[in-house]
């Protein structure tokens, strides 16, 4: 097994180290196919399960220092309409949350903050080909209010179940309310960017090694490089536009964000900057690899043309001689001579040998 394969196997084992419950599947959702989870938190501690979203909201508004975290997965317009009315969500933000395919952004609607994050995941593959899917993307929309957090997730990956477990294990952080959840989601998304970028780097290193390997198929590398650039572009579209929204979350004062939590967004922004620089370097490196591959193809084609030209020059000698003696004129030198035929063959062989030696010495053959 190659070194790249060993690295990927170790990384996979590390990711599987802790088994967690994924609540994103409809069969595990206690409140319906769209509502993944609805939990009330009081002073950083998880409260009792709620029979309905309305019941959870009533519990929150009876006690100060409480908030409800409602998780939705790909809701339709009718399904989210009641939630929007219950929490007072702006229609424009609700429309974005339903239809997805939005750029990462942060918008303020009264005392409700609406944030959009692009989620990414690395698609495992045994071998990179010209049709391999490397990066898969989804979206998480977050509505953050004074006493609620509504998360809307699109895509089959990016479950927030493990994130919820981590937050519940740290009541002091969760006691900061919805701001802590928003920060945790942003940090979780950017950490996924880091992991995906590291995995993509292994693919790029493998392609680079193959391009400069003499045993690599000449026509297979261009397709793989181009496919990797396409997948890298998808990753870039998810990562780069998030820089401005994170900067706004870290620097602009917002009444709906806890000031202590707001400083944590600077660390998330630093991690995002690192990933952005890494992706830009990947893009430049792939351009260089592609140019090197095209240069190799050009050199190989020139070598092939030299060989074809050399063999054509060698074959031209017997072709010329045979063409002259094949005209069947009555008066031709040595036409009736007994040794004329073997002499012509000897002359042809000698001429071809001399020309072949000359081309061989010059490296054309």
């Amino acid at each position: 097994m190659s070194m790249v394969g060993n690295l990927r196997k170790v990384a996979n084992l590390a990711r599987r180290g802790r088994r967690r419950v994924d609540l994103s599947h409809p069969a595990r959702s206690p409140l319906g196919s769209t509502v993944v989870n609805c939990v009330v938190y009081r002073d950083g501690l998880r409260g009792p399960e709620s029979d309905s979203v309305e019941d959870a909201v009533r519990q929150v508004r009876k006690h100060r220092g409480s908030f409800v975290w409602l998780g939705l997965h790909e809701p339709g317009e009718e399904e989210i309409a009641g939630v929007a009315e219950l929490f007072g969500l702006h229609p424009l933000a609700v429309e974005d949350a339903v239809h997805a395919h939005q750029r990462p952004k942060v918008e303020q609607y009264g005392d409700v903050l609406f944030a959009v994050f692009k989620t990414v995941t690395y698609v495992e593959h045994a071998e990179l080909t010209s049709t391999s899917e490397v990066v898969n993307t989804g979206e998480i929309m977050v509505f953050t209010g004074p006493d609620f957090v509504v998360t809307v997730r699109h895509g089959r990956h990016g479950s927030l179940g493990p994130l919820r477990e981590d937050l519940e294990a740290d009541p002091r952080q969760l006691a900061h309310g919805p701001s802590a959840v928003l920060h945790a989601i942003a940090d979780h998304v950017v950490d996924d960017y880091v992991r995906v970028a590291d995995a993509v780097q292994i693919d790029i290193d493998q392609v680079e090694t193959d391009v400069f390997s003499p045993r690599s198929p000449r026509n297979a590398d261009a397709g793989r490089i181009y496919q990797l650039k396409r997948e890298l572009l998808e990753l870039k579209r998810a990562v780069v536009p998030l820089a401005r929204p994170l900067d706004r979350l870290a620097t602009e004062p917002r009444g709906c964000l806890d000031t202590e939590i707001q400083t944590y967004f600077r660390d998330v922004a630093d991690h995002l900057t690192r990933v952005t620089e890494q992706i830009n370097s990947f893009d430049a490196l792939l351009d260089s690899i592609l140019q090197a591959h095209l240069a190799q193809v050009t050199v190989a084609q020139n070598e092939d043309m030299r060989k074809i030209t050399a063999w054509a020059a060698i074959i031209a000698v017997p072709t010329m001689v045979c063409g002259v003696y094949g005209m069947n004129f009555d008066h031709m030198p040595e036409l009736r001579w007994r040794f004329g035929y073997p002499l012509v063959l000897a002359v042809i062989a000698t001429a071809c040998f001399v020309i072949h030696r000359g081309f061989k010495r010059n490296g054309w053959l």
Side-chain angles (χ1 to χ4, degrees), residues 101-107 114-119 138-141 189 193 234-246 248 272:
H101 303 294
Q102 306 295 321
R103 282 174 57 87
K105 61 182 178 179
V106 172
E107 295 177 346
F114 177 63
V116 177
F117 301 98
K118 283 280 190 180
T119 60
E139 292 179 36
I140 295 178
M141 286 81 167
V189 169
Y193 293 165
E234 186 173 359
L235 178 61
K236 193 173 184 179
R237 287 172 178 169
V239 174
V240 174
L242 186 58
R244 177 58 181 161
L246 276 183
R248 293 177 60 190
L272 183 71

PDB file of all heavy atoms in Angstrom, residues 101-107 114-119 138-141 189 193 234-246 248 272:
ATOM      1  N   HIS A 101     -28.905  27.224  -1.292  1.00  0.00           N
ATOM      2  CA  HIS A 101     -28.008  27.697  -2.353  1.00  0.00           C
ATOM      3  C   HIS A 101     -27.697  29.184  -2.180  1.00  0.00           C
ATOM      4  O   HIS A 101     -27.756  29.966  -3.128  1.00  0.00           O
ATOM      5  CB  HIS A 101     -28.605  27.429  -3.744  1.00  0.00           C
ATOM      6  CG  HIS A 101     -28.927  25.998  -3.988  1.00  0.00           C
ATOM      7  ND1 HIS A 101     -27.962  25.018  -4.067  1.00  0.00           N
ATOM      8  CD2 HIS A 101     -30.125  25.360  -4.142  1.00  0.00           C
ATOM      9  CE1 HIS A 101     -28.538  23.847  -4.273  1.00  0.00           C
ATOM     10  NE2 HIS A 101     -29.840  24.024  -4.314  1.00  0.00           N
ATOM     11  N   GLN A 102     -27.364  29.566  -0.953  1.00  0.00           N
ATOM     12  CA  GLN A 102     -27.026  30.943  -0.645  1.00  0.00           C
ATOM     13  C   GLN A 102     -25.523  31.073  -0.409  1.00  0.00           C
ATOM     14  O   GLN A 102     -24.853  30.111  -0.046  1.00  0.00           O
ATOM     15  CB  GLN A 102     -27.782  31.416   0.609  1.00  0.00           C
ATOM     16  CG  GLN A 102     -29.283  31.222   0.541  1.00  0.00           C
ATOM     17  CD  GLN A 102     -29.923  32.074  -0.541  1.00  0.00           C
ATOM     18  OE1 GLN A 102     -29.537  33.214  -0.741  1.00  0.00           O
ATOM     19  NE2 GLN A 102     -30.902  31.507  -1.228  1.00  0.00           N
ATOM     20  N   ARG A 103     -25.028  32.278  -0.603  1.00  0.00           N
ATOM     21  CA  ARG A 103     -23.646  32.570  -0.243  1.00  0.00           C
ATOM     22  C   ARG A 103     -23.550  32.733   1.273  1.00  0.00           C
ATOM     23  O   ARG A 103     -24.515  33.151   1.914  1.00  0.00           O
ATOM     24  CB  ARG A 103     -23.180  33.872  -0.908  1.00  0.00           C
ATOM     25  CG  ARG A 103     -22.821  33.745  -2.370  1.00  0.00           C
ATOM     26  CD  ARG A 103     -22.524  35.109  -2.958  1.00  0.00           C
ATOM     27  NE  ARG A 103     -21.461  35.798  -2.235  1.00  0.00           N
ATOM     28  CZ  ARG A 103     -20.160  35.672  -2.488  1.00  0.00           C
ATOM     29  NH1 ARG A 103     -19.765  34.864  -3.444  1.00  0.00           N
ATOM     30  NH2 ARG A 103     -19.263  36.339  -1.808  1.00  0.00           N
ATOM     31  N   PRO A 104     -22.393  32.403   1.857  1.00  0.00           N
ATOM     32  CA  PRO A 104     -22.215  32.664   3.285  1.00  0.00           C
ATOM     33  C   PRO A 104     -22.401  34.151   3.586  1.00  0.00           C
ATOM     34  O   PRO A 104     -21.846  35.011   2.904  1.00  0.00           O
ATOM     35  CB  PRO A 104     -20.766  32.229   3.538  1.00  0.00           C
ATOM     36  CG  PRO A 104     -20.486  31.207   2.486  1.00  0.00           C
ATOM     37  CD  PRO A 104     -21.245  31.666   1.277  1.00  0.00           C
ATOM     38  N   LYS A 105     -23.200  34.439   4.605  1.00  0.00           N
ATOM     39  CA  LYS A 105     -23.499  35.840   4.917  1.00  0.00           C
ATOM     40  C   LYS A 105     -24.035  35.948   6.330  1.00  0.00           C
ATOM     41  O   LYS A 105     -24.386  34.955   6.972  1.00  0.00           O
ATOM     42  CB  LYS A 105     -24.522  36.403   3.935  1.00  0.00           C
ATOM     43  CG  LYS A 105     -25.867  35.681   3.941  1.00  0.00           C
ATOM     44  CD  LYS A 105     -26.820  36.259   2.912  1.00  0.00           C
ATOM     45  CE  LYS A 105     -28.146  35.489   2.891  1.00  0.00           C
ATOM     46  NZ  LYS A 105     -29.087  36.055   1.898  1.00  0.00           N
ATOM     47  N   VAL A 106     -24.087  37.196   6.825  1.00  0.00           N
ATOM     48  CA  VAL A 106     -24.678  37.526   8.120  1.00  0.00           C
ATOM     49  C   VAL A 106     -25.551  38.742   7.923  1.00  0.00           C
ATOM     50  O   VAL A 106     -25.101  39.768   7.395  1.00  0.00           O
ATOM     51  CB  VAL A 106     -23.593  37.812   9.180  1.00  0.00           C
ATOM     52  CG1 VAL A 106     -24.233  38.340  10.461  1.00  0.00           C
ATOM     53  CG2 VAL A 106     -22.792  36.561   9.481  1.00  0.00           C
ATOM     54  N   GLU A 107     -26.826  38.632   8.323  1.00  0.00           N
ATOM     55  CA  GLU A 107     -27.767  39.743   8.186  1.00  0.00           C
ATOM     56  C   GLU A 107     -28.521  39.933   9.501  1.00  0.00           C
ATOM     57  O   GLU A 107     -28.800  38.965  10.211  1.00  0.00           O
ATOM     58  CB  GLU A 107     -28.755  39.478   7.042  1.00  0.00           C
ATOM     59  CG  GLU A 107     -28.102  39.425   5.669  1.00  0.00           C
ATOM     60  CD  GLU A 107     -29.090  39.087   4.566  1.00  0.00           C
ATOM     61  OE1 GLU A 107     -30.210  38.639   4.897  1.00  0.00           O
ATOM     62  OE2 GLU A 107     -28.738  39.266   3.389  1.00  0.00           O
ATOM     63  N   PHE A 114     -29.346  36.517  11.329  1.00  0.00           N
ATOM     64  CA  PHE A 114     -29.460  35.412  10.380  1.00  0.00           C
ATOM     65  C   PHE A 114     -28.097  35.179   9.741  1.00  0.00           C
ATOM     66  O   PHE A 114     -27.512  36.084   9.145  1.00  0.00           O
ATOM     67  CB  PHE A 114     -30.494  35.735   9.308  1.00  0.00           C
ATOM     68  CG  PHE A 114     -30.622  34.677   8.241  1.00  0.00           C
ATOM     69  CD1 PHE A 114     -31.046  33.394   8.548  1.00  0.00           C
ATOM     70  CD2 PHE A 114     -30.313  34.971   6.911  1.00  0.00           C
ATOM     71  CE1 PHE A 114     -31.167  32.419   7.572  1.00  0.00           C
ATOM     72  CE2 PHE A 114     -30.438  34.010   5.922  1.00  0.00           C
ATOM     73  CZ  PHE A 114     -30.867  32.728   6.252  1.00  0.00           C
ATOM     74  N   ALA A 115     -27.562  33.961   9.900  1.00  0.00           N
ATOM     75  CA  ALA A 115     -26.247  33.617   9.361  1.00  0.00           C
ATOM     76  C   ALA A 115     -26.353  32.394   8.472  1.00  0.00           C
ATOM     77  O   ALA A 115     -27.122  31.465   8.748  1.00  0.00           O
ATOM     78  CB  ALA A 115     -25.254  33.351  10.497  1.00  0.00           C
ATOM     79  N   VAL A 116     -25.596  32.404   7.392  1.00  0.00           N
ATOM     80  CA  VAL A 116     -25.555  31.285   6.444  1.00  0.00           C
ATOM     81  C   VAL A 116     -24.122  30.774   6.381  1.00  0.00           C
ATOM     82  O   VAL A 116     -23.180  31.544   6.174  1.00  0.00           O
ATOM     83  CB  VAL A 116     -26.024  31.713   5.040  1.00  0.00           C
ATOM     84  CG1 VAL A 116     -25.906  30.547   4.062  1.00  0.00           C
ATOM     85  CG2 VAL A 116     -27.441  32.234   5.084  1.00  0.00           C
ATOM     86  N   PHE A 117     -23.967  29.466   6.579  1.00  0.00           N
ATOM     87  CA  PHE A 117     -22.662  28.815   6.492  1.00  0.00           C
ATOM     88  C   PHE A 117     -22.729  27.692   5.466  1.00  0.00           C
ATOM     89  O   PHE A 117     -23.714  26.960   5.405  1.00  0.00           O
ATOM     90  CB  PHE A 117     -22.250  28.214   7.845  1.00  0.00           C
ATOM     91  CG  PHE A 117     -22.163  29.199   8.963  1.00  0.00           C
ATOM     92  CD1 PHE A 117     -23.218  29.340   9.854  1.00  0.00           C
ATOM     93  CD2 PHE A 117     -21.036  29.989   9.134  1.00  0.00           C
ATOM     94  CE1 PHE A 117     -23.154  30.243  10.892  1.00  0.00           C
ATOM     95  CE2 PHE A 117     -20.960  30.899  10.171  1.00  0.00           C
ATOM     96  CZ  PHE A 117     -22.021  31.027  11.056  1.00  0.00           C
ATOM     97  N   LYS A 118     -21.677  27.578   4.660  1.00  0.00           N
ATOM     98  CA  LYS A 118     -21.533  26.466   3.740  1.00  0.00           C
ATOM     99  C   LYS A 118     -20.779  25.340   4.440  1.00  0.00           C
ATOM    100  O   LYS A 118     -19.677  25.549   4.962  1.00  0.00           O
ATOM    101  CB  LYS A 118     -20.759  26.893   2.489  1.00  0.00           C
ATOM    102  CG  LYS A 118     -21.553  27.698   1.491  1.00  0.00           C
ATOM    103  CD  LYS A 118     -22.419  26.797   0.633  1.00  0.00           C
ATOM    104  CE  LYS A 118     -23.036  27.567  -0.531  1.00  0.00           C
ATOM    105  NZ  LYS A 118     -23.876  26.710  -1.367  1.00  0.00           N
ATOM    106  N   THR A 119     -21.371  24.164   4.487  1.00  0.00           N
ATOM    107  CA  THR A 119     -20.694  23.010   5.072  1.00  0.00           C
ATOM    108  C   THR A 119     -20.015  22.200   3.974  1.00  0.00           C
ATOM    109  O   THR A 119     -20.491  22.151   2.835  1.00  0.00           O
ATOM    110  CB  THR A 119     -21.694  22.123   5.825  1.00  0.00           C
ATOM    111  OG1 THR A 119     -22.698  21.661   4.915  1.00  0.00           O
ATOM    112  CG2 THR A 119     -22.352  22.897   6.955  1.00  0.00           C
ATOM    113  N   GLY A 138     -22.922  21.453   1.599  1.00  0.00           N
ATOM    114  CA  GLY A 138     -24.279  21.636   2.092  1.00  0.00           C
ATOM    115  C   GLY A 138     -24.387  23.022   2.706  1.00  0.00           C
ATOM    116  O   GLY A 138     -23.511  23.867   2.507  1.00  0.00           O
ATOM    117  N   GLU A 139     -25.437  23.250   3.476  1.00  0.00           N
ATOM    118  CA  GLU A 139     -25.623  24.569   4.077  1.00  0.00           C
ATOM    119  C   GLU A 139     -26.252  24.446   5.455  1.00  0.00           C
ATOM    120  O   GLU A 139     -27.018  23.508   5.722  1.00  0.00           O
ATOM    121  CB  GLU A 139     -26.518  25.452   3.187  1.00  0.00           C
ATOM    122  CG  GLU A 139     -25.887  25.853   1.871  1.00  0.00           C
ATOM    123  CD  GLU A 139     -26.810  26.709   1.023  1.00  0.00           C
ATOM    124  OE1 GLU A 139     -27.558  27.517   1.598  1.00  0.00           O
ATOM    125  OE2 GLU A 139     -26.785  26.542  -0.205  1.00  0.00           O
ATOM    126  N   ILE A 140     -25.895  25.390   6.311  1.00  0.00           N
ATOM    127  CA  ILE A 140     -26.530  25.543   7.610  1.00  0.00           C
ATOM    128  C   ILE A 140     -26.929  27.010   7.758  1.00  0.00           C
ATOM    129  O   ILE A 140     -26.093  27.895   7.648  1.00  0.00           O
ATOM    130  CB  ILE A 140     -25.599  25.137   8.768  1.00  0.00           C
ATOM    131  CG1 ILE A 140     -25.263  23.652   8.708  1.00  0.00           C
ATOM    132  CG2 ILE A 140     -26.248  25.467  10.121  1.00  0.00           C
ATOM    133  CD1 ILE A 140     -24.307  23.207   9.791  1.00  0.00           C
ATOM    134  N   MET A 141     -28.226  27.248   7.967  1.00  0.00           N
ATOM    135  CA  MET A 141     -28.729  28.582   8.266  1.00  0.00           C
ATOM    136  C   MET A 141     -29.043  28.662   9.757  1.00  0.00           C
ATOM    137  O   MET A 141     -29.619  27.732  10.321  1.00  0.00           O
ATOM    138  CB  MET A 141     -29.996  28.892   7.468  1.00  0.00           C
ATOM    139  CG  MET A 141     -29.749  29.172   6.006  1.00  0.00           C
ATOM    140  SD  MET A 141     -29.575  27.658   5.050  1.00  0.00           S
ATOM    141  CE  MET A 141     -29.702  28.305   3.394  1.00  0.00           C
ATOM    142  N   VAL A 189     -17.976  24.491  11.579  1.00  0.00           N
ATOM    143  CA  VAL A 189     -17.923  24.563  10.113  1.00  0.00           C
ATOM    144  C   VAL A 189     -16.494  24.818   9.641  1.00  0.00           C
ATOM    145  O   VAL A 189     -15.998  24.168   8.705  1.00  0.00           O
ATOM    146  CB  VAL A 189     -18.876  25.663   9.606  1.00  0.00           C
ATOM    147  CG1 VAL A 189     -18.633  25.949   8.126  1.00  0.00           C
ATOM    148  CG2 VAL A 189     -20.330  25.252   9.816  1.00  0.00           C
ATOM    149  N   TYR A 193     -13.624  22.727   7.380  1.00  0.00           N
ATOM    150  CA  TYR A 193     -12.832  23.257   6.269  1.00  0.00           C
ATOM    151  C   TYR A 193     -11.372  22.815   6.408  1.00  0.00           C
ATOM    152  O   TYR A 193     -10.729  22.413   5.418  1.00  0.00           O
ATOM    153  CB  TYR A 193     -12.885  24.785   6.244  1.00  0.00           C
ATOM    154  CG  TYR A 193     -14.232  25.386   5.914  1.00  0.00           C
ATOM    155  CD1 TYR A 193     -14.485  26.739   6.156  1.00  0.00           C
ATOM    156  CD2 TYR A 193     -15.258  24.627   5.377  1.00  0.00           C
ATOM    157  CE1 TYR A 193     -15.713  27.307   5.852  1.00  0.00           C
ATOM    158  CE2 TYR A 193     -16.487  25.178   5.073  1.00  0.00           C
ATOM    159  CZ  TYR A 193     -16.711  26.536   5.319  1.00  0.00           C
ATOM    160  OH  TYR A 193     -17.928  27.091   5.020  1.00  0.00           O
ATOM    161  N   GLU A 234     -15.064  24.274  -5.908  1.00  0.00           N
ATOM    162  CA  GLU A 234     -16.260  24.138  -5.075  1.00  0.00           C
ATOM    163  C   GLU A 234     -15.935  24.414  -3.612  1.00  0.00           C
ATOM    164  O   GLU A 234     -16.705  25.080  -2.907  1.00  0.00           O
ATOM    165  CB  GLU A 234     -16.847  22.735  -5.233  1.00  0.00           C
ATOM    166  CG  GLU A 234     -18.172  22.545  -4.519  1.00  0.00           C
ATOM    167  CD  GLU A 234     -18.821  21.207  -4.825  1.00  0.00           C
ATOM    168  OE1 GLU A 234     -18.239  20.440  -5.616  1.00  0.00           O
ATOM    169  OE2 GLU A 234     -19.906  20.932  -4.280  1.00  0.00           O
ATOM    170  N   LEU A 235     -14.795  23.917  -3.160  1.00  0.00           N
ATOM    171  CA  LEU A 235     -14.366  24.193  -1.784  1.00  0.00           C
ATOM    172  C   LEU A 235     -14.084  25.674  -1.595  1.00  0.00           C
ATOM    173  O   LEU A 235     -14.428  26.264  -0.562  1.00  0.00           O
ATOM    174  CB  LEU A 235     -13.120  23.361  -1.467  1.00  0.00           C
ATOM    175  CG  LEU A 235     -12.486  23.554  -0.091  1.00  0.00           C
ATOM    176  CD1 LEU A 235     -13.464  23.191   1.011  1.00  0.00           C
ATOM    177  CD2 LEU A 235     -11.206  22.730   0.035  1.00  0.00           C
ATOM    178  N   LYS A 236     -13.485  26.296  -2.584  1.00  0.00           N
ATOM    179  CA  LYS A 236     -13.163  27.723  -2.505  1.00  0.00           C
ATOM    180  C   LYS A 236     -14.425  28.572  -2.430  1.00  0.00           C
ATOM    181  O   LYS A 236     -14.479  29.571  -1.694  1.00  0.00           O
ATOM    182  CB  LYS A 236     -12.331  28.111  -3.733  1.00  0.00           C
ATOM    183  CG  LYS A 236     -11.668  29.470  -3.648  1.00  0.00           C
ATOM    184  CD  LYS A 236     -10.729  29.671  -4.831  1.00  0.00           C
ATOM    185  CE  LYS A 236      -9.968  30.984  -4.712  1.00  0.00           C
ATOM    186  NZ  LYS A 236      -9.043  31.166  -5.851  1.00  0.00           N
ATOM    187  N   ARG A 237     -15.462  28.193  -3.165  1.00  0.00           N
ATOM    188  CA  ARG A 237     -16.721  28.938  -3.118  1.00  0.00           C
ATOM    189  C   ARG A 237     -17.380  28.861  -1.748  1.00  0.00           C
ATOM    190  O   ARG A 237     -18.140  29.762  -1.366  1.00  0.00           O
ATOM    191  CB  ARG A 237     -17.679  28.387  -4.178  1.00  0.00           C
ATOM    192  CG  ARG A 237     -17.313  28.756  -5.598  1.00  0.00           C
ATOM    193  CD  ARG A 237     -18.194  28.019  -6.595  1.00  0.00           C
ATOM    194  NE  ARG A 237     -17.889  28.392  -7.963  1.00  0.00           N
ATOM    195  CZ  ARG A 237     -18.355  27.758  -9.023  1.00  0.00           C
ATOM    196  NH1 ARG A 237     -19.153  26.703  -8.863  1.00  0.00           N
ATOM    197  NH2 ARG A 237     -18.037  28.163 -10.246  1.00  0.00           N
ATOM    198  N   ALA A 238     -17.110  27.797  -1.009  1.00  0.00           N
ATOM    199  CA  ALA A 238     -17.680  27.668   0.331  1.00  0.00           C
ATOM    200  C   ALA A 238     -16.873  28.440   1.364  1.00  0.00           C
ATOM    201  O   ALA A 238     -17.436  29.016   2.303  1.00  0.00           O
ATOM    202  CB  ALA A 238     -17.753  26.192   0.721  1.00  0.00           C
ATOM    203  N   VAL A 239     -15.562  28.468   1.202  1.00  0.00           N
ATOM    204  CA  VAL A 239     -14.685  28.999   2.244  1.00  0.00           C
ATOM    205  C   VAL A 239     -14.473  30.504   2.122  1.00  0.00           C
ATOM    206  O   VAL A 239     -14.661  31.257   3.095  1.00  0.00           O
ATOM    207  CB  VAL A 239     -13.329  28.266   2.212  1.00  0.00           C
ATOM    208  CG1 VAL A 239     -12.347  28.905   3.178  1.00  0.00           C
ATOM    209  CG2 VAL A 239     -13.524  26.800   2.541  1.00  0.00           C
ATOM    210  N   VAL A 240     -14.093  30.960   0.946  1.00  0.00           N
ATOM    211  CA  VAL A 240     -13.646  32.347   0.789  1.00  0.00           C
ATOM    212  C   VAL A 240     -14.727  33.379   1.134  1.00  0.00           C
ATOM    213  O   VAL A 240     -14.445  34.363   1.836  1.00  0.00           O
ATOM    214  CB  VAL A 240     -13.111  32.566  -0.647  1.00  0.00           C
ATOM    215  CG1 VAL A 240     -12.773  34.030  -0.880  1.00  0.00           C
ATOM    216  CG2 VAL A 240     -11.885  31.693  -0.882  1.00  0.00           C
ATOM    217  N   PRO A 241     -15.990  33.209   0.693  1.00  0.00           N
ATOM    218  CA  PRO A 241     -16.988  34.250   1.009  1.00  0.00           C
ATOM    219  C   PRO A 241     -17.328  34.377   2.490  1.00  0.00           C
ATOM    220  O   PRO A 241     -17.968  35.351   2.892  1.00  0.00           O
ATOM    221  CB  PRO A 241     -18.227  33.806   0.211  1.00  0.00           C
ATOM    222  CG  PRO A 241     -17.721  32.890  -0.837  1.00  0.00           C
ATOM    223  CD  PRO A 241     -16.567  32.195  -0.217  1.00  0.00           C
ATOM    224  N   LEU A 242     -16.902  33.427   3.325  1.00  0.00           N
ATOM    225  CA  LEU A 242     -17.244  33.488   4.749  1.00  0.00           C
ATOM    226  C   LEU A 242     -16.353  34.458   5.510  1.00  0.00           C
ATOM    227  O   LEU A 242     -16.671  34.814   6.654  1.00  0.00           O
ATOM    228  CB  LEU A 242     -17.118  32.076   5.360  1.00  0.00           C
ATOM    229  CG  LEU A 242     -17.562  31.899   6.810  1.00  0.00           C
ATOM    230  CD1 LEU A 242     -19.024  32.303   6.993  1.00  0.00           C
ATOM    231  CD2 LEU A 242     -17.342  30.453   7.268  1.00  0.00           C
ATOM    232  N   ALA A 243     -15.279  34.933   4.892  1.00  0.00           N
ATOM    233  CA  ALA A 243     -14.333  35.801   5.605  1.00  0.00           C
ATOM    234  C   ALA A 243     -14.997  37.091   6.078  1.00  0.00           C
ATOM    235  O   ALA A 243     -14.852  37.495   7.238  1.00  0.00           O
ATOM    236  CB  ALA A 243     -13.132  36.109   4.707  1.00  0.00           C
ATOM    237  N   ARG A 244     -15.741  37.750   5.205  1.00  0.00           N
ATOM    238  CA  ARG A 244     -16.381  39.015   5.564  1.00  0.00           C
ATOM    239  C   ARG A 244     -17.448  38.835   6.646  1.00  0.00           C
ATOM    240  O   ARG A 244     -17.456  39.593   7.631  1.00  0.00           O
ATOM    241  CB  ARG A 244     -16.976  39.665   4.308  1.00  0.00           C
ATOM    242  CG  ARG A 244     -17.736  40.949   4.553  1.00  0.00           C
ATOM    243  CD  ARG A 244     -16.881  41.997   5.230  1.00  0.00           C
ATOM    244  NE  ARG A 244     -17.620  43.220   5.497  1.00  0.00           N
ATOM    245  CZ  ARG A 244     -17.246  44.144   6.378  1.00  0.00           C
ATOM    246  NH1 ARG A 244     -16.130  43.961   7.077  1.00  0.00           N
ATOM    247  NH2 ARG A 244     -17.964  45.228   6.557  1.00  0.00           N
ATOM    248  N   PRO A 245     -18.355  37.853   6.557  1.00  0.00           N
ATOM    249  CA  PRO A 245     -19.320  37.665   7.643  1.00  0.00           C
ATOM    250  C   PRO A 245     -18.673  37.380   8.992  1.00  0.00           C
ATOM    251  O   PRO A 245     -19.123  37.907  10.018  1.00  0.00           O
ATOM    252  CB  PRO A 245     -20.148  36.462   7.156  1.00  0.00           C
ATOM    253  CG  PRO A 245     -20.062  36.514   5.678  1.00  0.00           C
ATOM    254  CD  PRO A 245     -18.685  37.014   5.389  1.00  0.00           C
ATOM    255  N   LEU A 246     -17.614  36.575   9.025  1.00  0.00           N
ATOM    256  CA  LEU A 246     -16.956  36.298  10.299  1.00  0.00           C
ATOM    257  C   LEU A 246     -16.296  37.543  10.856  1.00  0.00           C
ATOM    258  O   LEU A 246     -16.299  37.770  12.075  1.00  0.00           O
ATOM    259  CB  LEU A 246     -15.909  35.193  10.114  1.00  0.00           C
ATOM    260  CG  LEU A 246     -16.409  33.750  10.173  1.00  0.00           C
ATOM    261  CD1 LEU A 246     -15.253  32.774  10.050  1.00  0.00           C
ATOM    262  CD2 LEU A 246     -17.182  33.487  11.455  1.00  0.00           C
ATOM    263  N   ARG A 248     -17.360  40.548  10.458  1.00  0.00           N
ATOM    264  CA  ARG A 248     -18.439  41.369  11.015  1.00  0.00           C
ATOM    265  C   ARG A 248     -18.895  40.830  12.367  1.00  0.00           C
ATOM    266  O   ARG A 248     -19.179  41.600  13.294  1.00  0.00           O
ATOM    267  CB  ARG A 248     -19.613  41.407  10.044  1.00  0.00           C
ATOM    268  CG  ARG A 248     -19.334  42.151   8.735  1.00  0.00           C
ATOM    269  CD  ARG A 248     -20.532  42.075   7.806  1.00  0.00           C
ATOM    270  NE  ARG A 248     -21.707  42.686   8.427  1.00  0.00           N
ATOM    271  CZ  ARG A 248     -22.937  42.586   7.922  1.00  0.00           C
ATOM    272  NH1 ARG A 248     -23.143  41.867   6.828  1.00  0.00           N
ATOM    273  NH2 ARG A 248     -23.943  43.164   8.531  1.00  0.00           N
ATOM    274  N   LEU A 272     -10.072  30.461   9.565  1.00  0.00           N
ATOM    275  CA  LEU A 272     -10.583  30.580   8.200  1.00  0.00           C
ATOM    276  C   LEU A 272      -9.532  31.196   7.284  1.00  0.00           C
ATOM    277  O   LEU A 272      -9.385  30.781   6.123  1.00  0.00           O
ATOM    278  CB  LEU A 272     -11.860  31.422   8.194  1.00  0.00           C
ATOM    279  CG  LEU A 272     -12.534  31.561   6.829  1.00  0.00           C
ATOM    280  CD1 LEU A 272     -13.155  30.239   6.407  1.00  0.00           C
ATOM    281  CD2 LEU A 272     -13.593  32.655   6.858  1.00  0.00           C
TER     282      LEU A 272
END
